[in-house]
């Protein structure tokens, strides 16, 4: 008869099985599909293209450089179970849940507190559509566009969970609700929108944890007056985000809490120091031209001031990190240089958020439009962000693209 294993050995084997097993699950599931090589094929000839072509046989693995923006929202309904799983299978090492709250103050994954009319089937559910902050109004064929406003705070958690996610978009020329909800951009698809399983923040934690991956939750700005319901203050909101990770027993080193509100980030740094060590400031100071990424004199607070407050991670849109030199080559902006000088880790957002790049790439490439003229320029931008800007991670709506680059360049 064999002797039972000592308890310490059983404990050791449990941890080996759990952590190695999760890592294996994440690694074995990586499948990048045809898009990365479609982009590489479309690149201008050069050393970078040749290097990337050499990696077409793989192997593919998870990389923390590859951050899933709302899941895999280029083709899957954002912040859904199906989108998160697709992102994980494309090698994203970190997955985002934008966290807002319901009428009963439960945290759920939505890009905006008031986007349910754009991202779910709520308008097709009369009993729930009746609870929307602003009901559907059809276009009148002239100046009035079709509109609606449906918020997570209009619904209880149970009501929210009964909804189905859809591709983000609406037809503002619509005369009827069925016409209005058919607003998917022509460079996206409804092919993977059959289920659209919505997620609570806690459910996203459980799913991402089961995949052995990391978390980058965003505390969304409230569209209702705070404190909500008389006692749910902004600080309580920020505290509740972290509380969900504590309750799930998640190692703080796996969590990168983020917010566009600097006060939220500073609250975490001061009051939740283990989680605050990786708190990320989503920099939107470009709004209203308050910040010029080419002029450090407009950075208020300065990069060094932010670092002195304990900030270690800063995340601006891609275009703020890039500029063109006198020869039209894409190079780091003054913003990127100042952030690095202050010792800040840089995360960029969001790759694959635009449609075709043949006409300059749109908003996310606005500082380097003259250098963007084909789909393969995605890879050129990634290369500058990684090698010259020194970004530690890049959000992408289609993580396979970023994973392919990271794998090829040996970025874990």
């Amino acid at each position: 008869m064999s002797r039972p294993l000592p308890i310490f050995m059983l404990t050791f084997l449990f941890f080996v099985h759990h952590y190695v097993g999760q890592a294996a699950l994440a690694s074995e599931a990586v499948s990048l599909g045809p898009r990365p090589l479609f982009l590489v094929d479309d690149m201008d000839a050069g050393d970078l293209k040749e290097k990337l072509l050499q990696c077409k046989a793989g192997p593919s693995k998870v990389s923390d450089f590859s951050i899933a923006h709302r899941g895999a929202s280029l083709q899957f309904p954002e912040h859904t179970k199906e989108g998160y799983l697709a992102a994980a299978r494309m090698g994203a090492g970190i997955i985002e849940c934008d966290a807002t709250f319901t009428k009963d103050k439960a945290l759920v994954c939505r890009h905006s507190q008031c986007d349910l009319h754009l991202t779910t089937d709520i308008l097709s559910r009369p009993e729930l559509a009746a609870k929307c902050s602003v009901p559907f109004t059809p276009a009148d064929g002239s100046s009035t566009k079709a509109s609606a406003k449906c918020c997570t705070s209009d619904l209880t958690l149970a009501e929210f969970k009964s909804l189905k996610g859809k591709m983000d978009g609406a037809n503002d020329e619509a005369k009827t609700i069925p016409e209005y909800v058919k607003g998917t951009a022509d460079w996206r698809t409804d092919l993977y929108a059959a289920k659209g399983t919505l997620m609570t923040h806690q459910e996203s934690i459980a799913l991402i944890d089961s995949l052995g991956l990391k978390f980058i939750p965003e505390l969304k700005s409230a569209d209702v007056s705070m404190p909500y319901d008389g006692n749910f203050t902004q600080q309580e909101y920020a505290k509740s985000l972290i509380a969900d990770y504590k309750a799930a027993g998640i190692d703080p080193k796996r969590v990168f809490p983020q917010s566009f509100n600097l006060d939220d980030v500073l609250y975490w740094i001061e009051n939740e120091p283990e989680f605050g060590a990786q708190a990320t400031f989503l920099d939107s100071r470009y709004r209203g031209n308050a910040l010029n990424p080419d002029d450090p004199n407009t950075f208020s607070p300065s990069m060094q001031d932010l670092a002195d407050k304990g900030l270690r991670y800063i995340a601006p849109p891609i275009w703020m990190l890039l500029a063109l030199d006198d020869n039209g080559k894409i190079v780091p902006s003054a913003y990127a240089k100042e952030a690095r000088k202050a010792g800040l880790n840089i995360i960029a957002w969001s790759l694959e958020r635009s449609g075709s790049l043949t006409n300059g790439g749109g908003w996310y490439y606005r500082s380097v439009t003259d250098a963007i003229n084909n789909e393969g320029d995605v890879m050129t931008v990634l290369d500058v962000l990684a090698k010259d800007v020194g970004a530690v991670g890049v959000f992408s709506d289609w993580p396979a693209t970023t994973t392919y680059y990271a794998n090829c360049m040996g970025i874990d």
Side-chain angles (χ1 to χ4, degrees):
M1 178 182 293
S2 60
R3 298 176 61 184
L5 290 171
I7 189 66
F8 76 87
M9 182 61 73
L10 290 173
T11 303
F12 171 76
L13 291 174
F14 168 80
F15 280 104
V16 168
H17 171 77
H18 178 75
Y19 289 107
V20 174
Q22 296 300 342
L25 172 63
S27 298
E28 292 175 1
V30 173
S31 177
L32 302 184
R35 181 161 178 79
L37 281 171
F38 162 79
L39 297 172
V40 174
D41 287 341
D42 199 45
M43 292 177 68
D44 296 334
D47 291 344
L48 178 59
K49 181 173 183 175
E50 290 305 310
K51 167 67 175 174
L52 292 172
L53 282 172
Q54 291 173 12
C55 300
K56 60 186 178 182
S60 301
K61 63 178 182 177
V62 172
S63 171
D64 288 352
F65 183 77
S66 180
I67 304 175
H69 183 236
R70 313 184 200 178
S73 52
L74 181 66
Q75 295 192 39
F76 286 78
E78 62 187 43
H79 293 310
T80 60
K81 179 180 180 180
E82 293 75 21
Y84 289 160
L85 287 172
R89 289 163 179 160
M90 286 189 272
I94 308 175
I95 296 180
E96 179 188 46
C97 166
D98 291 329
T100 187
F101 55 87
T102 61
K103 187 175 184 178
D104 40 1
K105 306 185 191 72
L107 298 188
V108 295
C109 299
R110 285 292 92 196
H111 176 64
S112 168
Q113 188 167 39
C114 294
D115 72 1
L116 296 184
H117 54 291
L118 302 173
T119 63
T120 76
D121 65 345
I122 188 170
L123 292 178
S124 303
R125 303 277 300 280
E127 74 283 7
L128 297 181
K131 301 186 177 188
C132 290
S133 294
V134 179
F136 171 72
T137 300
D140 66 3
S142 57
S143 60
T144 301
K145 301 295 186 181
S147 63
K149 183 180 180 181
C150 304
C151 307
T152 57
S153 51
D154 294 333
L155 306 180
T156 65
L157 175 59
E159 290 168 338
F160 171 84
K161 282 290 293 175
S162 73
L163 297 174
K164 183 175 79 71
K166 74 175 191 68
M167 293 300 289
D168 181 15
N171 172 15
D172 63 10
E173 300 294 335
K175 300 291 183 64
T176 66
I177 287 175
E179 292 174 348
Y180 182 76
V181 299
K182 292 181 179 179
T184 304
D186 59 10
W187 44 273
R188 290 179 174 164
T189 180
D190 291 312
L191 185 62
Y192 304 109
K195 285 190 175 181
T197 307
L198 300 193
M199 303 287 285
T200 68
H201 183 229
Q202 292 178 350
E203 287 172 340
S204 78
I205 292 172
L207 176 63
I208 296 166
D209 185 41
S210 74
L211 297 168
L213 304 176
K214 296 178 182 178
F215 314 82
I216 189 160
E218 180 186 338
L219 196 73
K220 301 303 298 186
S221 297
D223 282 292
V224 294
S225 297
M226 300 291 279
Y228 176 68
D229 200 26
N231 58 12
F232 193 54
T233 66
Q234 186 66 29
Q235 289 192 349
E236 285 296 316
Y237 182 23
K239 183 179 180 180
S240 66
L241 183 93
I242 302 301
D244 282 346
Y245 292 93
K246 289 181 174 180
I250 302 298
D251 183 345
K253 293 179 181 178
R254 295 173 63 197
V255 185
F256 297 78
Q258 55 177 344
S259 177
F260 280 105
N261 181 355
L262 181 57
D263 287 342
D264 292 338
V265 177
L266 297 178
Y267 171 83
W268 291 321
I269 290 172
E270 181 177 352
N271 296 282
E272 301 285 357
E274 289 187 300
F275 290 89
Q278 296 186 131
T280 303
F281 175 40
L282 294 162
D283 197 346
S284 65
R285 291 177 291 170
Y286 58 84
R287 293 173 182 166
N289 297 317
L291 181 151
N292 178 351
D294 295 320
D295 182 4
N297 291 322
T298 66
F299 303 174
S300 180
S302 70
M303 297 298 184
Q304 190 58 55
D305 288 340
L306 291 172
D308 291 344
K309 293 177 185 291
L311 185 72
R312 295 292 175 264
Y313 289 83
I314 194 165
I318 288 171
W319 68 265
M320 286 177 63
L321 296 166
L322 305 176
L324 295 179
D325 67 12
D326 292 340
N327 297 315
K329 180 182 178 182
I330 301 174
V331 295
S333 66
Y335 178 103
K337 293 175 183 177
E338 287 294 305
R340 287 289 301 278
K341 182 179 176 182
L344 298 177
N345 295 296
I346 297 170
I347 297 174
W349 51 270
S350 295
L351 207 72
E352 303 276 44
R353 191 71 189 157
S354 303
S356 172
L357 303 193
T358 56
N359 295 311
W363 188 86
Y364 288 92
Y365 301 86
R366 56 186 284 187
S367 62
V368 293
T369 295
D370 290 345
I372 304 297
N373 55 35
N374 62 53
E375 308 304 334
D377 285 332
V378 168
M379 291 300 190
T380 302
V381 166
L382 257 181
D383 193 55
V384 175
L385 289 172
K387 293 181 179 176
D388 301 326
V389 170
V392 299
V394 177
F395 277 100
S396 177
D397 282 20
W398 199 245
T401 299
T402 311
T403 302
Y404 183 94
Y405 175 87
N407 288 173
C408 192
M409 299 300 172
I411 304 172
D412 294 329

